[in-house]
Each structure stands twice: as structure tokens, then as C-alpha cells.
Amino acid sequence: MKVAVLGAGIMGNGIAQLAVMAGDEAVAYDVAAPQLDRAGAAVEKSLARFVKSGRRTQEQADADRARLTFTTDLAEAVTGADVVIEAAPEILDLKQDLWRQVLEHAPAEALLGTNTSQLSITSIAAALGDEAHRLVGVHFFNPPVMMRLVEVIAGLQTDPAQVDRAKAFGEHVGKQVVVCRKDSPGFITSRAYAILRLECVRMLEEGVATAEDIDTALKLGFNFPMGPLELGDMNGIDTYVHAISGLEHAHGDRFRPTVGLRNMVAAGRLGRKTGAGFYDYDDEGAKRV
């Protein structure tokens, strides 16, 4: 099976790696050649960790890497593909434009999946016109090679058969799949976790507890692998504010970003990528004590 992954950022290269580890041929596409170089290095580093931990032999890792190719040519990426997964940034116009181009080259029987954590599947699919029924949401989690869950989301026009195909693909690459049967912004997980993190932010701003104690309470009390504030710093405070602003528009004031969050973005305290967020970080991204 040939899997085309459009967008070679953290999510895209992770999805491509999952495909080759499942035995598929994968092509990662990006408009920027330097991003493809970074993606290739990231995959090689990840596969090396799998080998070091004993979860993959060196022979398996070498074969995985041999099944993965990179290109800046969209037509080359999607021609002959059985599955096309778009993992472009969360910008509606960008995703729509990309899907219009995909239709010019992808096979009529290819599964078309958009990886998004919040955008309307129906809105993205509008760019496909009469082919809107082919698009389904396939939401992988960061980092894709480690996180066990995939959300499959049906748009208003999505053919139920495409939902079944997307679920089968998620299981094929080793994931547990849940189905969001209504195209509601935030789907299941992003909607639930956004409100949880927002309440943690409110507690921090109200002086109820420190960031460290809030995160520790959630990790130990609910068995979370990472605290909500730590995760916010990893994903980016600006990304989070953008996401919950969209949820506020869809679901009301309970998702309204706090003034403190907006001030953090204005001040450039965006998390690990800027060296400061809810926590401070050193040059290597390690949390300062």
C-alpha cells in the first residue's frame, strides 16, 4: 500500500513513520525542501531510539527507512496513492487549497484523510466539491509514533464507508481508534482537554497552586503522563490560544482565553520554543528548576 503524507512537520513525519513501520510505502510531501531534510533526520533519530530500546531490530529500521521517500512534488506524492493523509498547518484556506490540488492527481479510489485537531471536516471538504463525501478526519496525536489513539471524524457529507476505511487504516498502523460521529469543533479529545487546561490556567492565575503542583496533581491523581501546563508549553501557548478561540466561537464563553493567556502570547512567552511559558527552559529545552 502507498501512503502519501502531505506536510512534513512533527505530525506529518510521524504519520509517515507509522506507515513504513506497518510495512507500507510512504511518501512525505512538503513545499519546503529544508523541512523534508529535517523530517528525514527526525525519522532516523526516532527509528534509532526504537532499535536502542529493543522494539525494532536494526534490519527492521533499515527496511522502514528504505520504504520512506520525500518530495516537493505534490503530483509525485499522491499519484498512485491508496491513502492520502494531509497534515498541513491548522489554516483552513491552506488545507482547502491543498485538497483542490490533490484531486487533480490522486486516484479516484484513494482514501482521503485530513489530520486536524479542531477545524471542521465539513469546511475542509467544501473544497472538494462533488468529491466532498470522500474526505474524513483522521486525528493523530503528538507524537504519532508514541501516542496510542486516533480520532476518526465524519464530516456532514462523509460517506460512512470512508469512516470505516479510516478506522481500518488507523488500526493498521497500530492505533486504537474512536469515532466522532458529529463534526463538532474540538471533536472529543481537544474539546475535553482544552477546557481542562483552561481551568488549570485559571487556578494558576488565581494563585490556587503553583504550576508544578497543578501538573503534579493531575499526573498523579489522574495518571496523566504529562501535566496540562507542561503540555501547553510543549505544544505552544499561541497554538493553544488559537485553538480555544475557535472553540469559544463554536461553543461559547466557557472556552474564552483568559487575559493572562493573551498577555503571555503578546509577551512572547509561548513555551519551550521561546524558552519561557508556564515554565522557564534552558537552551536545550530542559525545564529550569
Side-chain angles (χ1 to χ4, degrees), residues 179-191:
V179 177
C180 184
R181 300 193 177 277
K182 184 176 181 181
D183 188 10
S184 175
F187 316 132
I188 302 170
T189 54
S190 295
R191 182 171 170 178

Side-chain angles (χ1 to χ4, degrees), residues 229-237 270-272 277-279 281:
L229 303 179
E230 293 174 298
L231 185 60
D233 273 358
M234 185 176 79
N235 293 340
I237 307 303
L270 308 182
R272 289 186 186 180
F278 296 115
Y279 299 90
Y281 300 88

Side-chain angles (χ1 to χ4, degrees), residues 133-191:
H133 63 280
R134 296 174 59 190
L135 190 69
V136 60
V138 186
H139 177 207
F140 287 82
F141 291 76
N142 187 18
V145 294
M146 300 303 295
M147 299 298 284
R148 297 166 56 194
L149 182 66
V150 166
E151 278 184 314
V152 168
I153 307 100
L156 183 63
Q157 297 168 278
T158 303
D159 186 335
Q162 299 298 82
V163 173
D164 292 340
R165 290 182 67 192
K167 184 177 180 181
F169 175 73
E171 293 170 345
H172 167 68
V173 296
K175 302 303 177 183
Q176 179 73 41
V177 181
V178 296
V179 177
C180 184
R181 300 193 177 277
K182 184 176 181 181
D183 188 10
S184 175
F187 316 132
I188 302 170
T189 54
S190 295
R191 182 171 170 178

Side-chain angles (χ1 to χ4, degrees), residues 23 82 159 259:
D82 301 286
D159 186 335
V259 172

Side-chain angles (χ1 to χ4, degrees), residues 39-59:
V43 170
E44 290 183 3
K45 186 176 180 180
S46 177
L47 288 171
R49 287 196 295 267
F50 273 87
V51 173
K52 185 176 180 179
S53 68
R55 290 174 291 173
R56 212 85 177 150
T57 67
Q58 186 61 58
E59 291 75 16

